[in-house]
Amino acid sequence: MNEPELMILDEPTKGFDPVNRRLLMDIVEEHSKRGATVILVTHQMEEVERLCDRVILLKDGRRRLYGTVEAIRESYGVSVIDLEFSGALPARPKHFSASATGRRTAELAIGEGATPQDILAELVAHKGLEIQKFELRRSSLDDIFVGIYNEQPVAKEQA
């Protein structure tokens, strides 16, 4: 590949195995770092998070999101806590709601007005619960993408 100033890539890794997908993304990233403008059309949000400065998300032919990855995550994402534990979670938690993601894992939604520190203190105080992992995580672009696409279609304006 030469040193292009502009690269337009439409689903460049579709059908690639993980090794070749990573190799291609490394090459594209190198070109981007050297100053090439890269326009990437993809449904692979991890590629977007890795390579893109700005993101536009289209749904029903209309722009639904536009901005930097961080700005979109800040505006449309939520913070959750990934928890690995043994024992039992509190039956009526004060600062969070929990959804089980596995036998000993849960995703905790932070309650209104609560902080991660409030939740950690509540969990530590609960007898018989041992915490192996407590990690604050913001929504990924993939989470946001799925949320936008699961919304009802935008009605077309009548002429």
Side-chain angles (χ1 to χ4, degrees), residues 59-87:
K59 180 182 180 196
D60 300 324
R62 297 190 177 170
R63 181 181 82 174
R64 293 299 309 270
L65 300 176
Y66 176 75
T68 64
V69 171
E70 276 310 306
I72 289 171
R73 290 173 91 188
E74 194 67 34
S75 296
Y76 296 92
V78 296
S79 293
V80 296
I81 295 169
D82 290 328
L83 184 70
E84 289 180 14
F85 64 95
S86 60

Side-chain angles (χ1 to χ4, degrees), residues 10-96:
D10 186 4
E11 298 285 353
T13 61
K14 186 175 182 178
F16 277 28
D17 63 78
V19 172
N20 286 307
R21 179 174 181 247
R22 184 174 292 163
L23 177 62
L24 179 60
M25 287 297 98
D26 289 346
I27 292 167
V28 172
E29 187 173 31
E30 285 175 27
H31 285 286
S32 178
K33 286 179 180 177
R34 287 189 201 129
T37 298
V38 179
I39 298 173
L40 177 66
V41 178
T42 185
H43 292 96
Q44 304 300 319
M45 294 299 108
E46 65 275 3
E47 293 174 4
V48 172
E49 288 179 328
R50 177 178 175 185
L51 297 173
C52 297
D53 296 322
R54 288 187 203 92
V55 177
I56 186 167
L57 188 145
L58 302 173
K59 180 182 180 196
D60 300 324
R62 297 190 177 170
R63 181 181 82 174
R64 293 299 309 270
L65 300 176
Y66 176 75
T68 64
V69 171
E70 276 310 306
I72 289 171
R73 290 173 91 188
E74 194 67 34
S75 296
Y76 296 92
V78 296
S79 293
V80 296
I81 295 169
D82 290 328
L83 184 70
E84 289 180 14
F85 64 95
S86 60
L89 292 173
R92 291 186 213 136
K94 180 178 178 183
H95 298 294
F96 65 92

Side-chain angles (χ1 to χ4, degrees), residues 57 59 64 142-153:
L57 188 145
K59 180 182 180 196
R64 293 299 309 270
D142 195 65
D143 296 332
I144 294 167
F145 179 95
V146 169
I148 294 292
Y149 273 81
N150 282 336
E151 292 176 358
Q152 295 298 318

